[in-house]
Amino acid sequence: MQFSIIISLLLHTGFIILTVMGLPIFNNQKIDIPPIVQVEILEITEQTNVPEVSKREIEEKEDSEKKKEDVKINQPVLKPKLEKSDEKVKDPAADEEIIKPEIVEKKSVVNMPIRKPVIKKKDNFDPLKIAELIDMAKDTKPIQDVKDEEYESLDSTDTLVNKLTLSEEDAIRSQFLRCWSIPIGMPEDDSLVVKVKISLRPDGSLMKPPEVTDHQRMNKPSQKYFKVLAESALRAVRRCDPIKTPAVERYDDWKELQLNFDPRDILR
Amino acid sequence: MKNLIQNILFFTLLSITNAVALIEIDITEGNREPLPIAITNFFYDDVDAVMLSEISNNLSDVVEADLERCGLFAPINEEAFIQKNAAMHLRPRFEDWRLIKSQALVTGKLKIVDGDKLRVEFRLWDTLAEKELEALVLITTLDNWRRISHMISDKVYERLTGEKGYFDTRILYVSESGPKNQRIKKLAIMDQDGENHRHLTSGKELVLTPRFNPTKQEITYLSYFKNLPRVYLLNIETGNQEVVGDFPGMTFAPRFSPDGNKIIMSLAKDGNSDIYVMDLKSRVVTRLTNNPAIDTSPSYSPDGKKITFNSDRGGSQQIYVMDNDGRNQKRISNEGGNYATPVWSPRGDLIAFTKNFKGNYAIGVMRTNGEGERLLTENWYQEAPSWSPNGRVLIFYRETAANEDGQGHSSTLWSIDLTGFNERKIETPQDGSDPAWSNLLQ
């Protein structure tokens, strides 16, 4: 009797153990995944960002190597301080947005005199003579006359907007097509067109840094794609520098150009 | 005085004339080649050379591999570098980098701090505009350098494309081995570049359709227990596992809601399959579709307001979209052929799918209203696309047919980007299927 109870107990225990061990939870191996180790991130752009320098300025600086060395040495000085500060920047983009507008604002001031060549142009004319023309007719026609007279000596074509022939425009366009690396990752967006104004020297090199006409949009936090696109356009202009230009005799026609970088068809 | 006014008037008119006359040139095409970028070995001081020389090499190799694989960048061979890395923690000589056609440059400096911590200072430069685009310091443990590398890749990607990166992520998939009729299927997890590969289940039970919780280190998957498919939850940090609910029928295709608080799935009862959602806190189950046809593969839109799913209610398998409460069910696929496995893009703009037509299987995308269908890749058999967290790349699996002897069958993981040009095989130790991409690690 006792013997059979012991046997029964043992068998029951064995059965219970087998059942429990058979549950899926016991079948799983211990998971051995390396834990995600946290990384502390600090934003240092603000302290070390080097202001943008135009190409010409760099050329001037190249003459004095010593000065350049000083700049280099002065670069990373501020970094150790940062670590000690509690400024853990969780969203670097946010800080960046706050700081950059200042830089661009400065840039825009530097780039302001777009109409400079216009002022030069006025020296070619006798103001009094033109004043007489304006005085003679009171409607808008004289402006047309003035324009015609002004450009007659430069170009025989009648149109004022297209002073370059189609093939000349194509020649310029094809150079920028090759230089522009399109940021292909962008979503479709019909407002993504970047207009860049460039001023050229007679040899086709950039007279001053290229300027995005809507540069304020670059700094809006919601306009990340525009910023990336604008930067790619500016790189294209620099990469193409100097461009092959139409005849130097017609310098006045092409010394200022507006390039409209429009990726809409490509992203579609 | 009159003359003066006339003069002012004239010059104003002249400047307007000139502004109008500014020649505009439209650049509507460009170079679609990947952006040439140089990634230097990170600089370190001689005192740290023993500990850091290897990390320096590995770190730049990982960044380079990440950026190359995404198809948007062309890393330049280190041998072409003119400026050597000794000085790279300072302002670069941009002329040297332009000479080798590099448009962007990654430099950095490594340092040991607090005895055993790794401090990585990284900078991204625009070599043409000669300006710094990004500068960050990352501090972590020495053995965590691989994650730092992926984070740097993410920052470079984000700064140069405007889109968040997807390199600091993991991939979950079903690792397969054995002959076709006796496949052993284990749940496996790895970094997106195939490193740190681990198996999560032993292979005794069949596992299917693993999916990440978008908000924490948790996954859901389907596993057969006593020949009955059930939805499981597994915490990959603690290893805790549980069955989600005890349903009268079979549950399939589980997927988390964007907030991670619900699981949406299909439940088959009496030969009819419908979409159900379960609140993970209250465990309350709500039925969303009620149709005699087979409704399956539900997936939430990123805002959680809409759900896309698959149904054969119209006679063939098609993609439908409905509100999150089951209302306004509408068919969106209309281009012919059968559609399956719809997945809403994390960017919200597209739905990825598998399409079966003319005997082939294609992975494609369409807008959320069904327009603009694009097939990215076609093959003998492939399915189950899963989005990268930035909605730019899809990962899926592809099978090859077995020959008459039953040999030659394989199942491999692949990725393709939205352009359809950058298709890559993802190497796994064994065969793989049903991949799922995690969000960026927190």
Side-chain angles (χ1 to χ4, degrees):
Chain A
M1 179 65 185
Q2 266 190 343
F3 180 72
S4 57
I5 288 174
I6 291 166
I7 292 287
S8 170
L9 268 174
L10 281 175
L11 283 173
H12 272 92
T13 319
F15 183 73
I16 290 166
I17 291 170
L18 274 175
T19 314
V20 170
M21 295 300 281
L23 287 171
I25 198 162
F26 285 93
N27 287 338
N28 291 306
Q29 293 170 330
K30 217 178 172 187
I31 300 169
D32 171 35
I33 309 172
I36 298 169
V37 184
Q38 290 308 308
V39 176
E40 196 180 336
I41 304 174
L42 306 171
E43 174 75 71
I44 54 169
T45 314
E46 174 184 346
Q47 273 75 15
T48 59
N49 201 359
V50 185
E52 202 180 334
V53 194
S54 77
K55 201 182 172 185
R56 202 196 283 173
E57 280 169 333
I58 290 168
E59 280 166 9
E60 284 162 11
K61 273 184 191 168
E62 271 174 2
D63 300 332
S64 50
E65 269 298 312
K66 217 177 178 182
K67 269 186 192 172
K68 207 175 176 185
E69 282 301 314
D70 286 346
V71 176
K72 284 179 182 174
I73 292 160
N74 288 336
Q75 271 299 298
V77 173
L78 287 159
K79 279 168 267 159
K81 274 186 186 172
L82 244 172
E83 279 181 53
K84 284 173 192 167
S85 76
D86 292 333
E87 272 183 57
K88 284 179 200 173
V89 183
K90 290 209 169 166
D91 181 10
D95 266 23
E96 200 182 3
E97 299 307 333
I98 300 164
I99 296 134
K100 295 227 163 139
E102 286 180 24
I103 299 163
V104 177
E105 278 305 315
K106 278 181 199 164
K107 200 163 71 181
S108 68
V109 173
V110 174
N111 293 341
M112 274 304 275
I114 315 156
R115 312 225 187 281
K116 215 175 173 183
V118 179
I119 297 160
K120 276 183 189 168
K121 237 177 217 174
K122 73 181 177 185
D123 297 337
N124 298 335
F125 297 93
D126 180 1
L128 292 174
K129 196 179 166 190
I130 306 299
E132 269 175 41
L133 284 166
I134 294 169
D135 204 28
M136 273 156 64
K138 279 164 192 164
D139 60 5
T140 50
K141 210 181 171 189
I143 308 163
Q144 200 67 38
D145 291 345
V146 173
K147 284 179 196 165
D148 287 344
E149 200 177 298
E150 178 195 351
Y151 291 112
E152 217 160 18
S153 58
L154 305 169
D155 193 350
S156 54
T157 51
D158 292 339
T159 50
L160 291 169
V161 178
N162 287 317
K163 287 180 291 182
L164 296 182
T165 63
L166 280 178
S167 57
E168 282 169 337
E169 264 191 42
D170 274 347
I172 295 175
R173 181 180 294 113
S174 67
Q175 295 177 59
F176 289 107
L177 295 188
R178 280 196 295 275
C179 292
W180 186 28
S181 292
I182 308 159
I184 352 177
M186 298 199 160
E188 283 179 45
D189 182 349
D190 277 350
S191 70
L192 283 178
V193 178
V194 173
K195 296 174 180 178
V196 180
K197 275 186 186 168
I198 58 171
S199 304
L200 299 168
R201 294 204 187 96
D203 65 355
S205 64
L206 288 172
M207 190 185 281
K208 57 186 184 187
E211 184 201 1
V212 175
T213 55
D214 195 1
H215 58 262
Q216 277 156 346
R217 190 175 160 196
M218 284 176 80
N219 300 298
K220 290 182 185 156
S222 58
Q223 296 292 332
K224 231 159 59 171
Y225 295 117
F226 183 81
K227 182 177 181 177
V228 166
L229 189 70
E231 284 172 348
S232 78
L234 293 175
R235 275 200 292 275
V237 173
R238 302 242 187 213
R239 209 174 151 207
C240 262
D241 182 29
I243 62 162
K244 282 180 196 145
T245 61
V248 186
E249 296 77 53
R250 297 171 54 215
Y251 173 56
D252 278 353
D253 292 352
W254 50 259
K255 66 183 176 185
E256 286 203 333
L257 297 172
Q258 178 174 309
L259 307 170
N260 300 332
F261 289 87
D262 181 355
R264 286 175 296 184
D265 285 347
I266 305 153
L267 300 173
R268 202 157 280 149
Chain B
M1 185 62 191
K2 195 182 170 189
N3 273 352
L4 185 68
I5 292 167
Q6 282 172 347
N7 282 348
I8 290 168
L9 185 67
F10 164 71
F11 290 129
T12 313
L13 288 172
L14 193 64
S15 62
I16 290 166
T17 311
N18 202 63
V20 170
L22 186 68
I23 293 172
E24 293 190 26
I25 296 177
D26 292 329
I27 320 284
T28 53
E29 253 301 336
N31 181 353
R32 294 176 196 228
E33 295 295 309
L35 187 87
I37 185 168
I39 298 135
T40 62
N41 276 355
F42 283 21
F43 174 86
Y44 50 85
D45 287 327
D46 288 343
V47 283
D48 295 328
V50 184
M51 291 168 96
L52 292 180
S53 65
E54 205 181 326
I55 291 181
S56 171
N57 280 331
N58 293 344
L59 197 140
S60 53
D61 285 352
V62 171
V63 174
E64 199 174 307
D66 278 346
L67 295 178
E68 192 277 329
R69 212 170 35 248
C70 79
L72 301 180
F73 302 95
I76 294 167
N77 192 323
E78 200 186 328
E79 285 170 16
F81 294 177
I82 300 166
Q83 187 177 14
K84 295 301 168 195
N85 63 345
M88 286 318 295
H89 60 298
L90 304 170
R91 191 180 161 86
R93 281 202 308 271
F94 294 111
E95 316 85 84
D96 288 358
W97 297 100
R98 283 198 297 267
L99 257 177
I100 60 166
K101 309 268 184 240
S102 165
Q103 294 192 37
L105 169 69
V106 175
T107 68
K109 190 180 175 184
L110 305 178
K111 205 177 170 186
I112 306 268
V113 290
D114 301 337
D116 60 348
K117 278 193 172 167
L118 175 65
R119 180 187 188 275
V120 183
E121 184 183 315
F122 125 83
R123 283 163 205 280
L124 173 66
W125 306 88
D126 183 329
T127 58
L128 291 151
E130 305 199 347
K131 72 172 189 182
E132 188 182 274
L133 297 175
E134 183 84 61
L136 284 178
V137 164
L138 302 108
I139 300 165
T140 187
T141 54
L142 272 171
D143 54 3
N144 201 28
W145 62 266
R146 186 173 281 281
R147 184 158 182 233
I148 292 262
S149 317
H150 293 315
M151 290 170 100
I152 291 174
S153 308
D154 282 330
K155 288 291 168 194
V156 172
Y157 185 99
E158 186 176 354
R159 191 61 188 80
L160 294 175
T161 67
E163 200 96 56
K164 282 219 175 288
Y166 59 86
F167 304 112
D168 186 24
T169 55
R170 285 172 167 171
I171 286 167
L172 190 63
Y173 75 103
V174 175
S175 168
E176 299 187 10
S177 57
K180 181 134 174 82
N181 52 359
Q182 276 183 308
R183 281 301 245 194
I184 295 169
K185 294 191 174 189
K186 299 175 185 175
L187 214 56
I189 192 166
M190 61 188 183
D191 292 353
Q192 55 76 32
D193 60 353
E195 293 294 325
N196 291 321
H197 187 280
R198 300 282 193 283
H199 283 117
L200 298 176
T201 58
S202 64
K204 280 183 186 158
E205 280 85 32
L206 195 67
V207 286
L208 288 167
T209 61
R211 307 278 178 248
F212 276 104
N213 183 326
T215 56
K216 52 184 172 185
Q217 289 300 307
E218 188 177 48
I219 60 175
T220 179
Y221 65 99
L222 193 76
S223 182
Y224 278 78
F225 182 62
K226 291 182 180 167
N227 287 330
L228 194 70
R230 284 176 146 181
V231 174
Y232 285 80
L233 272 181
L234 171 67
N235 186 312
I236 51 179
E237 273 175 343
T238 61
N240 285 341
Q241 184 179 249
E242 57 177 314
V243 178
V244 179
D246 199 6
F247 302 104
M250 296 189 289
T251 44
F252 290 101
R255 202 185 279 276
F256 283 97
S257 61
D259 61 8
N261 294 331
K262 288 185 237 139
I263 286 187
I264 192 167
M265 59 196 144
S266 66
L267 175 59
K269 241 188 339 184
D270 310 323
N272 177 26
S273 167
D274 279 307
I275 311 285
Y276 289 75
V277 63
M278 179 196 238
D279 188 297
L280 287 173
K281 280 179 193 150
S282 64
R283 300 279 159 153
V284 173
V285 179
T286 315
R287 184 176 190 156
L288 296 179
T289 65
N290 192 351
N291 195 294
I294 295 172
D295 296 342
T296 187
S297 303
S299 164
Y300 273 101
S301 64
D303 61 5
K305 288 180 181 161
K306 297 265 181 189
I307 294 163
T308 178
F309 64 100
N310 181 228
S311 176
D312 63 355
R313 60 183 71 178
S316 65
Q317 270 196 314
Q318 298 296 332
I319 298 174
Y320 290 74
V321 167
M322 63 180 173
D323 295 346
N324 61 6
D325 56 3
R327 287 182 195 168
N328 297 322
Q329 296 178 17
K330 217 166 47 184
R331 175 172 161 177
I332 61 160
S333 55
N334 288 304
E335 299 279 325
N338 288 328
Y339 294 77
T341 68
V343 202
W344 214 298
S345 153
R347 206 154 78 174
D349 55 345
L350 297 168
I351 289 174
F353 55 83
T354 309
K355 181 175 179 172
N356 175 13
F357 74 117
K358 293 179 191 163
N360 262 351
Y361 283 81
I363 302 290
V365 290
M366 59 171 76
R367 295 203 194 101
T368 56
N369 59 4
E371 288 170 6
E373 178 177 312
R374 277 196 299 138
L375 301 181
L376 304 174
T377 162
E378 282 177 51
N379 214 284
W380 178 72
Y381 185 81
Q382 52 190 6
E383 69 159 333
S386 170
W387 290 97
S388 64
N390 67 354
R392 270 279 308 156
V393 186
L394 287 161
I395 185 172
F396 58 95
Y397 77 96
R398 179 177 287 169
E399 289 189 3
T400 53
N403 59 20
E404 286 167 1
D405 310 329
Q407 302 294 311
H409 169 262
S410 76
S411 177
T412 44
L413 303 188
W414 292 77
S415 71
I416 192 154
D417 71 359
L418 279 184
T419 64
F421 291 110
N422 185 31
E423 186 178 271
R424 304 283 173 124
K425 189 180 177 194
I426 295 166
E427 295 297 339
T428 49
Q430 294 174 319
D431 274 6
S433 64
D434 263 345
W437 215 313
S438 82
N439 271 352
L440 284 173
L441 301 179
Q442 299 296 318

